[in-house]
Amino acid sequence: MEMKTHDPAVATDLPFPRQYGTELLVISRGKGVWLQDIAGKKYLDFAGGIAVNALGYGRSDLAKVAAQQMRKLNHVSNLFTTEPALALARLMLARGPYKFASVFFGNSGTEANEAALKYARLHSLRTKGPGHDRLLCFENGFHGRTFGALSCTPSAKYQEPFQPLVPGVLVAPYNDVDALKRVLDDQVAGVIVEVLQGEGGLSTMTPEFARALSEGCRKAEAILIADEVQTGMGRTGTFYGSEGVGLEPDIITLAKPIAGGLPLSAVLIPDKVERLIHAGEHGTTFGGGPVTTAVAAKVWELVSEPGFIQRVRQRGEFLRKELEALKARHANVGTLLGKGLLQGFDYTGGEVKDLLSRLQARGLLALRSGTNCVRLAPPLIISEAEISKGVQIIEEGLT
Ligand code: PLP
C-alpha cells in the first residue's frame, strides 16, 4: 500500500473499487469520541462511522461481551437459534411504545429494508390479493443499495446506472400531505419513509405528514415502514425517531448503531404481517448470529438506561444553540437542519467536500448530506465540551 508523501496517514493506490475514491485516511484506533490515524494524529469524530458508533470507541464492556461469545459459540445459521438472539429479540419486543410480534435479523440497513418491502408485498398479496403491489417512497429518501431498497431511493445518482430497477415504485414529495393523498390508495402494498432524511439533506418529517401517513396507510391497508436505520436508538432524541413526530409505523427497520459497530440489522414485524409469512419465504445466513446479537443486547441495555435518551436530547439542544451562534457569526452557514444528535446546516460558501477536507485537516471528522449540507452525527455519549470544541473547529474551517 503506497502512502502519499504529503500526509503519511492517507493511503493511495487502494485495493478497493473506485466507488470509495482514490485515497482514504487510515484510522487505527479510537477512544470515546476521538479517533487516531496511523500517523498518530487525533480527530474529534462528528461522523460516528456514519451514525453507527452511538457509544463511541474503545468500549471494553462491548469487547468483553464479543470476546466471551466468540469463545463460547460463533455461528449456527438460522436452522437453529441461540440464547443471545432470543434474548435480544425479546428485549426489542418488550420495548414500547409500538407493539411488534417478531424480529427478523439481517446484516445491514439495506437488507432490513429489503426484507420489510418483501413483507409489505406478502401482506398485500394475502390480504388484498394479487396486483396491489405498489411501493411508495419519497423524494430525497435513502434506503440502501440493493435493488429493492435502491428502487425506493429516488435519486438519479444512485439509480441511473442500474436501470431497470424493481417496477411498481411510486415517488411522492416529502412532507406534502396533498400529494400523499393523491397517490396513496389500496394499490399500494407498502410505504417506506425516514422521519429525518439522513442522507438526503436532513429534512425532518412534520407532525402533519406523520399523521397523514399513519392514517393514509391504515385506510389503504398499506404497510407503513419507518426506516430508522439512521434515526433509531436515540439518535434524534427519542428512542425511535417515529415517536418524536407522532408516526405510527407498522414495521420499523433498525441497523447502524444496534450492535456497537458490528454488522446487524433488525426488522420489527407486527402481528398482522407475522401471521401471513410462510416458512422459507425469506432468510439470511449470517443475520442474528450469537456474537452480533450478544453485543447488541448490551448496547440496547445501555441506551435504555434511565436518563440516556434524555441526555441525548439535551446534548442535541446544546448543539443547536452552538450552531445558532455560529450561524449568527457566519454568512456561509445557511438553514440549520435536523435534530437530536443528527444535525447540520446548508453550507453556502462553496463545495461541502472542500469544507469537510479543511475540517479533517484541523482534526474534525464530519459528513455531507444531500447536495450541500454539512451533517453532524457524533457518538451519543459526546459531552458539551466536546460539542463546543467541534463547533469551534467548524468555525475555523469556515474562515
Ligand atoms: N436506510 C437509511 C436511512 C440509511 O441512512 C442507510 C445508510 O446510510 C441505509 C438505509 C442503508 O444501510 P446500509 O448501508 O447498512 O445498507
Side-chain angles (χ1 to χ4, degrees):
M1 193 166 57
E2 217 178 278
M3 293 295 175
K4 260 205 156 178
T5 44
H6 73 267
D7 186 341
V10 169
T12 57
D13 191 19
L14 295 167
F16 309 130
R18 276 155 201 271
Q19 70 225 21
Y20 296 123
T22 51
E23 46 181 65
L24 290 170
L25 182 67
V26 187
I27 295 173
S28 62
R29 56 180 58 240
K31 186 81 195 159
V33 297
W34 292 85
L35 286 169
Q36 188 175 311
D37 70 24
I38 50 168
K41 180 174 165 181
K42 294 210 163 99
Y43 301 84
L44 183 53
D45 179 28
F46 273 36
I50 318 189
V52 166
N53 299 313
L55 300 178
Y57 300 97
R59 301 286 309 209
S60 51
D61 48 358
L62 302 186
K64 190 171 154 201
V65 172
Q68 276 177 348
Q69 185 56 49
M70 192 67 192
R71 274 194 291 269
K72 191 172 169 191
L73 181 67
N74 57 336
H75 175 80
V76 294
S77 88
N78 48 43
L79 300 173
F80 309 95
T81 189
T82 63
E83 287 170 310
L86 288 166
L88 176 64
R90 286 181 179 137
L91 262 180
M92 291 177 153
L93 295 178
R95 183 176 188 104
Y98 306 109
K99 187 140 183 50
F100 299 105
S102 65
V103 186
F104 169 74
F105 290 123
N107 306 282
S108 64
T110 199
E111 193 189 340
N113 289 333
E114 207 69 34
L117 295 168
K118 288 175 75 178
Y119 291 139
R121 283 237 172 124
L122 276 185
H123 174 264
S124 187
L125 179 70
R126 291 181 184 148
T127 56
K128 297 192 270 191
H132 304 72
D133 52 16
R134 302 290 146 83
L135 300 169
L136 173 61
C137 64
F138 298 92
E139 287 169 6
N140 299 321
F142 184 91
H143 302 291
R145 314 279 193 156
T146 50
F147 271 98
L150 177 66
S151 303
C152 294
T153 297
S155 299
K157 72 171 172 176
Y158 300 125
Q159 289 190 340
E160 233 162 59
F162 304 107
Q163 299 284 357
L165 299 175
V166 174
V169 176
L170 308 169
V171 183
Y174 190 64
N175 277 336
D176 184 334
V177 172
D178 291 335
L180 178 71
K181 284 183 179 157
R182 283 195 295 275
V183 74
L184 180 52
D185 59 24
D186 80 337
Q187 292 301 302
V188 176
V191 178
I192 185 162
V193 69
E194 293 158 276
V195 294
L196 197 171
Q197 295 185 315
E199 300 296 315
L202 300 177
S203 295
T204 307
M205 189 183 285
T206 61
E208 298 73 43
F209 195 60
R211 198 170 330 115
L213 270 171
S214 308
E215 283 168 10
C217 284
R218 262 198 301 275
K219 219 162 113 204
E221 293 176 55
I223 295 298
L224 177 53
I225 303 161
D227 175 351
E228 295 237 23
V229 164
Q230 190 152 165
T231 54
M233 290 195 87
R235 174 65 55 191
T236 66
T238 47
F239 191 88
Y240 296 116
S242 295
E243 295 168 60
V245 296
L247 189 71
E248 292 165 25
D250 296 300
I251 286 179
I252 291 180
T253 57
L254 296 171
K256 290 178 180 286
I258 70 173
L262 297 182
L264 179 70
S265 60
V267 184
L268 303 171
I269 304 166
D271 182 60
K272 68 179 173 186
V273 175
E274 165 59 29
R275 284 189 267 131
L276 303 173
I277 303 169
H278 299 168
E281 280 183 330
H282 192 58
T284 175
T285 294
F286 288 113
V291 180
T292 54
T293 50
V295 174
K298 184 74 191 167
V299 174
W300 192 275
E301 191 189 295
L302 292 169
V303 173
S304 301
E305 271 179 3
F308 187 96
I309 303 280
Q310 197 187 354
R311 205 162 50 243
V312 174
R313 213 159 36 237
Q314 282 162 354
R315 297 285 144 81
E317 284 158 14
F318 183 80
L319 173 59
R320 176 52 64 111
K321 287 206 184 86
E322 294 274 292
L323 291 175
E324 277 165 2
L326 183 71
K327 179 173 157 59
R329 293 193 294 270
H330 286 274
N332 291 341
V333 176
T335 311
L336 301 185
L337 302 157
K339 65 176 174 174
L341 288 175
L342 185 52
Q343 292 195 43
F345 56 88
D346 270 324
Y347 176 57
T348 57
E351 295 273 331
V352 160
K353 70 172 172 28
D354 297 336
L355 174 62
L356 294 180
S357 322
R358 290 201 296 278
L359 297 182
Q360 182 171 313
R362 286 167 187 276
L364 181 81
L365 304 182
L367 300 163
R368 194 176 65 153
S369 179
T371 43
N372 237 36
C373 307
V374 173
R375 173 174 34 151
L376 311 172
L380 304 183
I381 52 155
I382 195 166
S383 69
E384 290 191 352
E386 287 159 338
I387 290 174
S388 299
K389 171 87 186 151
V391 175
Q392 183 201 321
I393 300 175
I394 295 173
E395 179 149 26
E396 289 165 18
L398 286 167
T399 24

